[in-house]
Amino acid sequence: MKGINQRTKAVAFALCMMGMLIAVYTFGLLISEEAMMSGFQNAHQPPSWKYPFGTDALGRNLLLRTIKGLSVSITVGIVASLISALIAALVGMATAVGSKRVDAVVGWWIDLVMGVPHTVFILLISFALGRGVKGLLVGIAATHWCSLARLIRGEVLQLRCQQYVAVSRRLGKSGGWILIHHLFPHLIPQFFVGLVLMFPHVILHEASISFLGYGLPPEQPSIGIILSESIRYLSAGMWWMAVLPGLVLVGIVWGLERLADYLHRILDPYSVQE
Amino acid sequence: MRKGMSGRLSRTFFIYGLKIITLLLGVSIVSFLLVSASPVNPVQQYLLKIGPVSPQQQEEIEEYWGMDKPLMERYLTWLGELLQGNLGESALYRRPVKDVIGERFSGSLTLMVSAWICSGGMGISLGCIMGIYQDKWPDKLLKKLCYLLSCVPTFWLGLIFLLIFSVILGWFPIGFSSPIGILRQEVTLWQRLHHLVLPAFTLSLMSFSPIALHTRQKLIEVMNSEYVLFARARGEGKWMLLLRHGLRNILLPALTLQFASIAELFGGSVLTENIFSYPGLGSAVSAAGLNSDVPLLLGITLFSTLFVCIGNMIANLLYEVVNPQIGSYTGEVSR
C-alpha cells in the first residue's frame, strides 16, 4: 500500500466496519416475523442453499433469525453503552472537579459495583425490574461505567495540572470556559473511544444474560436465546444451531473491537503511525 | 526495612478489612432494596410450591413473614439474623441457605481454583513466549489469538467444547460433577476430575488473555532495560535472560493481576456452570433468580462479594510487596 498513509487506511477500515454494521442492522430491522417461519415440515433442517444456517425445532430460518437477533443486540448495545458512558463522564468529571469527599464517596461506590461480580449484579437488577429488556438495559448500564469513569477522572486530574490551564485561570477565565476550551478537546476523544470500546462488551453481556434466561423474552430473536435453545438439541447432533449463530456473534464483536481500535488511532495522532 | 514493610502490610490489611465490612454492608442494603423493589411477590412464589391456600392463610403467612412491616424494619430484622449466621431458608431447595451455599461453594471452588491455576500458568508462559519473540511470528500469532479470544463469549466456547468433546468425540460426559445414578460417597476422584476438565478448561480460556498480554508488556519492558543489555553483553542467551531477570520481575505483578480478576472469574463460572450443568454457586444463583428464591439470591450475592473482596485484598497486599515505593494506600489496583 504505497502512497496511502496509516491514517487514511484507518479511516477507510473504520468506514468499512461502520458500513457493515449499518447494513446488518437495517437488514435485521426489515425482516418480518413471517419471513422467518418456514413451517413445521421444514424443522430440524441442516444448513443448505435454501437455509444457509439450517432451521430450528419450530422450522424457523436460523439465518434470518440470527440477523434479526443481531439488530436487537445492536440496539441494546448502543443504548446501554451510551447511558453507561454518560454516567462515566459525569461521575468522572464530578470526582475530579469536586471536593475530596465526593471523590471518596464515588471511589467507595465504584469499589462496591466492582466488588459484586458483574453477572451476579446484572441478574439481581434484572430480577428487581422483572426481567425483560428494561432490566437488561439498566443492569448493563449500571455495571459498565466504572473503568471509563476512573479513566476520565485521571485524565481531568492530569489536565488540571497543565500550565496552560493555570495560565488561563490567572488570566481570569471562568471554570466553564476552561472546561469547554481546555478540557473538552481532550476528553471528547477519550469519551468516544471508551464508548465504542464498551460496545462489544455490552453485546457479549447481553447475549450471556439472555442465554441465562433473564434479559430478552424467549420469543424475541436474540443470539443468546438461540444458543440457549440449541443446548437442548446438542446431543441430538444439531450442531448448526450452536455453531453458526455463535460465529456470527464473534464476527460482529471482533468487527466492533477493530472499529474501536481504528477510531482510537484516528483520534489519537500519536498512535496512528505506529 | 523488613519491619517497615510488615507494618505497612498490616496497616493495609486493617484498612482494607474495614473497607470490606462497609462494602458488604453497602451491598446488603443495595441488594435488599433491589429485591424488595421486584414485582415478584416472594410469598406467592413460596406458596406456588406448597399448593393452594385460602386468602386467609396467605395473609397469615404474609404477616408471619413480616410483609406488612416497613422496609427499614424488614431490612434490620434480616440484617440482625444475618449477623447471627442465619441466612434464611431457600425456597428452591427447601434447606437453610447457609447449607446450600456451603455445599455449592465446594463445587465452585474446585472449578474456579483449577481454572485460576490453569489460566495463570497458560497466561504467564504464553506471555513469556510473546515477550521473547517480540514482533516475530510466534508473538504475532499468539497476540491475534489473545485478541480473538476476548471477542468470544464464554458460553459459546463452552457449547462448542461440549459439542466437539462430549457429543462428537465422546471423551467427556455432558454434564454434572459426578456420574448419574451413583451414590455421592462412591464417586471416585478420577470420575470427579473427568467431569471437571471441560468446564475448568473453558473457564480458564476465558480469562488467560489479559494476563498473557500483561506479561508480554512487562517482559518487553524488562528486555529493553540496561541490566538486560549488560547481561546480554556477558553472553547470556534468551532463555537464561528470562530465567534470571525476566521471571523475577514478572511473576508477582502477574499474580497480583490474577487475584484482582476474581470477579470476572466468578462471573464466568455462572455461565460455565450453567452450560455444563455443574452444581455450584453459579448455577444456583441463576436458578434462584429464575425461581424467585429471594433468600438464596441475597445470600449468594453477599457471599460472592466477600469472595471477590478477599481476592482484591490479596491483590492489594501483593501490590504493596511488589512496589515498595507506594507509601500510602491508594485504594485501587493498577490494571
Side-chain angles (χ1 to χ4, degrees), chain B residues 230-286:
Chain B
F230 181 59
R232 208 172 263 153
R234 281 201 311 262
E236 284 184 22
K238 258 183 194 153
W239 298 104
M240 191 61 95
L241 280 174
L242 175 68
L243 208 65
R244 285 193 181 159
H245 306 283
L247 281 179
R248 291 184 181 196
N249 287 303
I250 288 167
L251 279 181
L252 271 178
L255 206 61
T256 311
L257 187 67
Q258 188 73 343
F259 271 109
S261 69
I262 282 185
E264 274 109 279
L265 193 70
F266 198 98
S269 81
V270 176
L271 290 161
T272 321
E273 286 176 11
N274 269 295
I275 296 159
F276 294 98
S277 348
Y278 187 91
L281 281 180
S283 47
V285 71
S286 70

Side-chain angles (χ1 to χ4, degrees), chain B residues 43-44 46-62:
Chain B
V43 176
Q44 223 131 44
Y46 182 75
L47 294 179
L48 272 182
K49 294 186 182 97
I50 291 182
V53 285
S54 69
Q56 173 73 31
Q57 279 169 310
Q58 182 170 343
E59 257 172 45
E60 273 170 22
I61 292 176
E62 278 184 11

Side-chain angles (χ1 to χ4, degrees), chain B residues 221-233:
Chain B
E221 269 169 36
V222 170
M223 286 303 183
N224 289 330
S225 66
E226 291 189 339
Y227 58 85
V228 167
L229 188 67
F230 181 59
R232 208 172 263 153

Side-chain angles (χ1 to χ4, degrees), chain A residues 108 111-112 115-117 119 124 127-128 131 204 208 211-214 227 231 234 239 242-243 246-247 249-250 253-254 257, chain B residues 19 22-23 26 31 34 37-39 151 153 155-156 159 163 167 266-267 271 274-275 286 289-290 292 297 304-305 308:
Chain A
W108 181 82
D111 278 338
L112 188 137
V116 188
T119 318
L124 202 65
F127 175 76
R131 290 177 212 144
L204 282 184
S208 32
F211 176 80
L212 288 178
Y214 296 76
L227 290 178
I231 205 164
L234 265 192
W239 55 271
V243 176
L247 270 182
L249 180 65
V250 172
V253 172
W254 181 81
E257 293 262 3
Chain B
K19 193 170 178 186
T22 63
L23 282 180
S31 51
L34 280 174
S38 173
C151 300
F155 63 99
W156 184 66
L159 277 181
L163 186 68
V167 177
F266 198 98
L271 290 161
N274 269 295
I275 296 159
S286 70
L290 287 176
S292 310
L297 194 59
S304 62
T305 311
V308 169

